[in-house]
Amino acid sequence: MTTAAIYARVSSQRQKKDQTIASQTAALRGYIDRMRLELPAEWVFEDEGHSGATLLRPALERLRDLVAQVGVDVVVVYAPDRLARKFAYQALLIQEFARAGTRVEFVRGPRGDSPEDQLLVQFQGMFAEYEKAQLMERYRRGKTYRARAGSVNVLSGARFGYRFVRKTPESSARYEIVEAEAALVAELFRRYVDEAASIADLTRWLTDSHALTRTGKTRWDRSVVWGMLRNPAYAGTGVFGKTQVQHEPAGLNRTARLQGRATPRPVKTIDRPREEWIAIPVPAIITPATFERAAKRLQDNKRFASRNTKVPSLLQGMAACASCGHGYYRTSTRTTNKKIYYYRCLGSDDYRYEGGRVCTNKPVRADHLDTLVWDHITGLLTDPALIHTEIDRRLEQARTADPARRERARLETALAAASRGITRMIEAYQEQLITIDELRARMPDLRAREAGLRGQLDALEAQLADRDAYLKLAHDLEGFLSQLRSGVRTADVPERQRVLRLLVQDILIGPEKITIRHRIPIREHTPPDHGQSPDADDEGDMRPGYPLRWRRGLPAAGQCLSAPAGPGVGDTGPRGAGALCRRCGGDVRQPRAG
């Protein structure tokens, strides 16, 4: 008898879930029975969830190997578009099978080998390719229109913390907040932005809380937590169209190239520009300010990544060149008895650029620059007026707003719902509505959820206690400053890095000066109007009141740097009387308030 193999394919995951490939296989088996062909049980090849626009399909690969090695008389396919969506791929496979002595027959299509039948197959292949392109374009435009209309249907499922409610004749589809999951999301962001917890710590915390992921897993992965921290839907704005598919091979990394691996797909996914995103309003779990702080920390983590640095440097990822804009990296040189570290501009390396170096800035001794920056920042931090201003601002904020109260109400609501669920389960068992086995199967999850919510409430109480302790700090400012000074002297490099990255925006290194641009709010005042010389450098911040601006009326050489200079400065009376400068011993006068 004539031997035959059958090949069936469905492309979408929905078709795979609905098992529509079984209908194709049944039709192919019926055709083989009618044609009296012999079908071995292992010669049934099915590709579920694989696109016909590519030849990289597991079952198709096995079928091609079988035809090349064993030899098959007939390969039966339901329709030409099930073999491949592109005409070129159809012709390639049919010719490959023909060279091995195998013919291809279609249940719904031409069955002869005449030129007319081959022409019809080619036409069907071109029509299938056109139909696929047309469906994809209609699908894309339809989803874009629905997204601009504010429909949540176009979003890829409800994220952790939300429940997707299908549309009804009375209302459209929407997202609803799941209180128990929303409490975990809010706590996740709070730990990340307020306590500086790492993503690994958050992953372990979620796993220990026995909360299930959106896919029902008990073990949380770092990539899932990273995606949650980047998702703007938690701040009330779902986004459609963040990525797009390009029909070109994805790039291979160095490890894959050395191993000789090929790209599995002929397309790659890239990010769209942010201005092309389409915003869709959804219920918010956290505030936009909290999400912005999380995004800023994610950006800083990428910027300050230690990579494979063996010896940490204080200004890693923060120093940049004021002349060419390139970053500074740390390098070293050896003398007869020691190793000296330098910060060097990337633009000053000849080997990096085809035409040679693009910057003439010279390297800077790392130890000298680290000491200069650290002394400057610690000097600002130990300024009593600066610390007092920040404490007053936070005290006012604590009096006018209490974000922890809303979080506590949400946790208490979720805890009450979990307790009611446990009570209902026990009552259902007592009324013999459920069996003891069903009760034992459901109670552990409810108990774990209740325990997790109680733990979050305890953490919130501890946070409130820390805030009360912080509020007491305002009454003991001098004690706090003394602790700060002692901590500054004993801090190691990682601790200093953490302080600098919280307070310093960047450090611009120029040919003759260094500009430190920081984020510390200072006292506002109206400085005297000094004209800037034409040859002044413009790197750094030139705002009035910025303490590191250059050429802002510094005293002449020989004068004490602590004494103000220029017109508009006068004595304020008793407040300044009797005060002496710690540097030169002269009288200190307070400028008038701006």
Side-chain angles (χ1 to χ4, degrees), residues 189-199 201-202 293 297 301 498 502:
F189 276 88
R190 189 195 68 79
R191 293 188 178 211
Y192 188 71
V193 300
D194 293 341
E195 299 181 2
S198 65
I199 293 181
D201 294 337
L202 296 176
R293 292 174 61 193
R297 191 180 170 209
N301 287 347
R498 183 179 178 184
L502 289 174

Side-chain angles (χ1 to χ4, degrees), residues 166-272:
R166 296 181 180 274
K167 67 177 182 179
T168 61
E170 294 79 17
S171 62
S172 59
R174 66 187 185 277
Y175 277 0
E176 286 185 352
I177 294 180
V178 181
E179 293 297 335
E181 296 180 355
L184 287 175
V185 172
E187 178 67 12
L188 174 78
F189 276 88
R190 189 195 68 79
R191 293 188 178 211
Y192 188 71
V193 300
D194 293 341
E195 299 181 2
S198 65
I199 293 181
D201 294 337
L202 296 176
T203 302
R204 288 189 289 268
W205 167 68
L206 286 172
T207 302
D208 295 339
S209 66
H210 304 289
L212 298 180
T213 65
R214 177 54 69 215
T215 57
K217 299 178 181 179
T218 57
R219 182 180 179 275
W220 288 75
D221 192 75
R222 298 184 184 184
S223 61
V224 177
V225 178
W226 178 75
M228 292 174 63
L229 294 173
R230 295 177 67 244
N231 194 345
Y234 292 121
T237 305
V239 177
F240 172 77
K242 290 188 292 186
T243 60
Q244 64 181 356
V245 175
Q246 280 191 348
H247 292 277
E248 59 182 58
L252 295 176
N253 55 26
R254 180 173 178 270
T255 303
R257 287 195 300 269
L258 292 178
Q259 294 178 354
R261 292 186 303 190
T263 304
R265 298 181 61 190
V267 297
K268 66 177 180 180
T269 302
I270 62 173
D271 293 333
R272 285 181 181 269

Side-chain angles (χ1 to χ4, degrees), residues 499-515:
V499 173
L500 286 183
R501 290 169 183 177
L502 289 174
L503 304 178
V504 177
Q505 180 178 350
D506 52 27
I507 300 168
L508 302 180
I509 302 176
E512 298 181 358
K513 66 172 180 283
I514 296 171
T515 306

Side-chain angles (χ1 to χ4, degrees), residues 330-572:
R330 192 184 66 173
T331 184
S332 63
T333 184
R334 284 195 173 274
T335 62
T336 56
N337 56 356
K338 64 179 179 178
K339 187 175 184 180
I340 303 176
Y341 289 97
Y342 290 89
Y343 290 115
R344 182 179 177 89
C345 176
L346 287 170
S348 63
D349 294 334
D350 285 329
Y351 69 91
R352 298 181 185 270
Y353 308 95
E354 183 177 357
R357 66 175 63 187
V358 296
C359 182
T360 58
N361 256 7
K362 297 181 179 180
V364 182
R365 281 279 296 266
D367 51 351
H368 295 172
L369 184 59
D370 292 348
T371 303
L372 174 68
V373 174
W374 182 248
D375 290 345
H376 172 77
I377 293 300
T378 53
L380 289 178
L381 286 179
T382 53
D383 182 8
L386 181 66
I387 300 296
H388 206 287
T389 301
E390 179 65 14
I391 290 179
D392 291 342
R393 185 186 67 83
R394 297 196 180 188
L395 282 172
E396 183 65 23
Q397 182 180 1
R399 295 188 186 101
T400 57
D402 191 1
R405 181 168 46 192
R406 177 183 174 187
E407 183 66 21
R408 177 190 288 173
R410 175 179 291 178
L411 289 173
E412 291 176 349
T413 302
L415 180 60
S419 300
R420 286 195 302 269
I422 295 175
T423 303
R424 285 195 296 266
M425 291 293 298
I426 296 175
E427 291 176 353
Y429 171 70
Q430 291 175 348
E431 297 177 4
Q432 297 182 355
L433 298 177
I434 60 175
T435 63
I436 186 63
D437 294 334
E438 292 176 338
L439 180 65
R440 291 173 177 173
R442 299 181 185 180
M443 286 298 290
D445 293 338
L446 294 176
R447 293 292 187 188
R449 180 182 301 178
E450 184 183 29
L453 291 172
R454 292 188 184 278
Q456 294 178 48
L457 274 175
D458 294 341
L460 185 61
E461 295 294 339
Q463 177 188 358
L464 294 176
D466 293 341
R467 192 192 67 178
D468 294 339
Y470 164 75
L471 295 179
K472 296 178 182 178
L473 179 64
H475 305 290
D476 190 15
L477 181 59
E478 292 300 329
F480 169 73
L481 290 178
S482 62
Q483 293 179 5
L484 181 61
R485 295 188 189 100
S486 62
V488 163
R489 290 191 295 267
T490 59
D492 55 6
V493 174
E495 293 176 351
R496 296 187 180 190
Q497 279 183 340
R498 183 179 178 184
V499 173
L500 286 183
R501 290 169 183 177
L502 289 174
L503 304 178
V504 177
Q505 180 178 350
D506 52 27
I507 300 168
L508 302 180
I509 302 176
E512 298 181 358
K513 66 172 180 283
I514 296 171
T515 306
I516 305 174
R517 300 197 297 184
H518 52 65
R519 302 166 178 155
I520 303 177
I522 64 166
R523 290 170 292 176
E524 297 182 356
H525 65 278
T526 304
D529 186 13
H530 296 280
Q532 185 177 356
S533 60
D535 59 342
D537 295 336
D538 58 356
E539 79 265 28
D541 200 332
M542 293 298 177
R543 297 191 314 271
Y546 189 79
L548 300 178
R549 287 186 306 122
W550 303 100
R551 296 180 176 88
R552 55 188 179 102
L554 293 177
Q559 286 184 311
C560 176
L561 294 177
S562 301
V569 178
D571 193 9
T572 57

